[in-house]
Amino acid sequence: MAKKQMKVTLVRSMFGTGARHQACVRGLGLRRMHHSVLVEDSAATRGMVRKVAYMVKCEEVA
């Protein structure tokens, strides 16, 4: 059984945001605007996405 994954895309700039929010974005593996990554759908990653929800777009991948 494959683990669930989410596709996370950075849609707003990190410029002017707090250090903790920048750390969450970096922790998700996002590097620049419109960069997308596939991350494991776990409680930790969902918490990171929720914290920076105003900066990212999240989609579930089957």
Side-chain angles (χ1 to χ4, degrees):
M1 182 175 173
K3 293 188 177 187
K4 288 185 177 181
Q5 290 191 327
M6 301 186 294
K7 180 179 177 183
V8 182
T9 306
L10 186 64
V11 294
R12 283 190 59 181
S13 174
M14 290 191 295
F15 185 76
T17 61
R20 289 182 182 214
H21 289 215
Q22 289 181 12
C24 280
V25 171
R26 291 282 182 220
L28 288 167
L30 297 168
R31 298 176 182 271
R32 61 192 170 275
M33 290 281 297
H34 309 294
H35 183 219
S36 298
V37 292
L38 287 175
V39 294
E40 183 181 338
D41 188 1
S42 65
T45 55
R46 281 199 176 269
M48 293 167 79
V49 167
R50 192 175 299 123
K51 188 169 200 172
V52 294
Y54 65 98
M55 295 171 56
V56 298
K57 180 176 72 171
C58 180
E59 309 167 5
E60 291 189 16
V61 177

